[in-house]
Amino acid sequence: MTYSLQLFDDIITNPLKDGVLVIQLNRPNEFNALRTKLLDEIAQVLVRAEEDENVRCVVLTGNQKAFAAGADIKEMATKSPADVLRDPRAASWKVIRNFKKPLIAAVNGYCLGGGNELAMHCDIIVAGENAKFGQPEINLGIIPGAGGTQRFTSLLGKSKAMRYVLTGDFMSAKQAYEAGLVAEIFAPEETLDQAINIAKKIAQKAPIAVELAKEAVLKASDSLLESGLAFERKAFAVLFSTSDQKEGADAFINKRPPVYKGS
């Protein structure tokens, strides 16, 4: 399969080389905000990559300013709880979550909200020194809705996860490394190349052993993940029935401080 011949709107797929496929998020004017189309395009490529025995490892990256600064707030602002529960993006997240081959995130700049959730879906995260991680959904009157509460807690522990989920504060690359979220830190201009080097090393290993090793490591932390994800998704949808959610989205779009009333 020649992935580079496939044209997408929101991502760029680089030519397969040494068993490594690089997917670049490509909405630079929106800091790679994760709209439905972008997630769907990632899922399409991963479905094909899983079937292609020539693909041994996939690297997911953004640009120097942002891996992904979050979900597309304008796309989500007016959704109802029913819309959120029926959101087609859930199917894309499931494809990413169940991808059997190694997935590496090369992160520079902002990696927030859905962007941080996307990075945490990956098996390894490497970051540039300029990277900033976080789950700032609380600032919009909602909570993470694609695994943020569950994976952040699994990776950071309860106290640190609470610290960042409840405040919406950002975490530096150094803090993310010390917390165990990030595997390695590099100069921003080296981040993608270093991620590809790791991917090439993995691509040289026995494919079945790599697949089973990934599954075994995930089993160590995923035993109760599905029930936690189900609760998070329902809570996320319920919040779209509150006036505070509408206020948070409107304030973000219009660049003003939100005024929450607890309703």
Side-chain angles (χ1 to χ4, degrees):
M1 294 182 183
T2 307
Y3 293 87
S4 58
L5 295 180
Q6 176 70 48
L7 297 178
F8 295 102
D9 293 323
D10 288 1
I11 64 173
I12 296 172
T13 55
N14 294 341
L16 182 65
K17 185 177 180 180
D18 298 325
V20 177
L21 177 65
V22 177
I23 303 173
Q24 181 181 5
L25 311 189
N26 189 39
R27 299 188 71 206
N29 294 332
E30 293 79 22
F31 291 88
N32 293 328
L34 303 180
R35 64 177 176 178
T36 301
K37 177 184 282 291
L38 189 153
L39 288 169
D40 177 64
E41 289 179 354
I42 292 174
Q44 287 181 51
V45 174
L46 292 184
V47 167
R48 293 172 59 198
E50 188 164 294
E51 296 172 348
D52 187 349
E53 63 182 16
N54 294 310
V55 177
R56 299 292 185 85
C57 192
V58 176
V59 175
L60 195 59
T61 193
N63 55 47
Q64 291 293 316
K65 291 184 177 180
F67 176 76
D72 191 320
I73 304 302
K74 292 181 180 178
E75 184 182 61
M76 296 179 61
T78 59
K79 288 184 179 293
S80 68
D83 292 333
V84 175
L85 286 173
R86 293 193 299 263
D87 192 341
R89 297 186 307 169
S92 297
W93 283 117
K94 185 175 182 180
V95 169
I96 299 167
R97 183 166 74 247
N98 293 333
F99 184 61
K100 294 181 179 180
K101 298 179 181 181
L103 188 58
I104 300 175
V107 176
N108 281 317
Y110 295 112
C111 184
L112 307 173
N116 191 48
E117 290 171 316
L118 179 59
M120 289 193 294
H121 272 68
C122 297
D123 303 302
I124 300 170
I125 303 175
V126 298
E129 296 165 340
N130 66 340
K132 294 187 182 298
F133 299 85
Q135 297 291 160
E137 289 89 345
I138 200 75
N139 296 325
L140 301 175
I142 56 174
I143 65 171
T149 62
Q150 305 302 297
R151 288 189 174 85
F152 231 25
T153 304
S154 176
L155 292 167
L156 273 61
K158 187 196 77 170
S159 186
K160 283 187 177 179
M162 288 285 191
R163 160 73 175 85
Y164 289 99
V165 170
L166 297 184
T167 64
D169 287 347
F170 298 169
M171 178 186 294
S172 69
K174 183 175 182 292
Q175 289 171 319
Y177 174 77
E178 292 173 347
L181 178 65
V182 167
E184 295 185 70
I185 301 175
F186 303 102
E189 64 273 14
E190 297 176 2
T191 307
L192 178 57
D193 286 341
Q194 293 291 349
I196 291 173
N197 287 338
I198 295 171
K200 287 180 178 178
K201 185 175 291 188
I202 294 170
Q204 294 172 356
K205 311 301 181 185
I208 296 175
V210 168
E211 180 179 325
L212 291 178
K214 169 176 173 170
E215 185 177 355
V217 172
L218 290 177
K219 289 288 185 185
S221 59
D222 285 1
S223 298
L224 301 177
L225 181 59
E226 287 302 322
S227 60
L229 289 173
F231 176 84
E232 180 194 80
R233 193 67 190 169
K234 289 179 181 177
F236 180 70
V238 166
L239 286 167
F240 278 75
S241 67
T242 66
S243 60
D244 279 350
Q245 179 271 324
K246 303 299 184 292
E247 167 65 10
D250 185 75
F252 179 88
I253 291 168
N254 291 293
K255 297 180 172 58
R256 62 173 178 81
V259 179
Y260 294 125
K261 299 179 179 178
S263 61

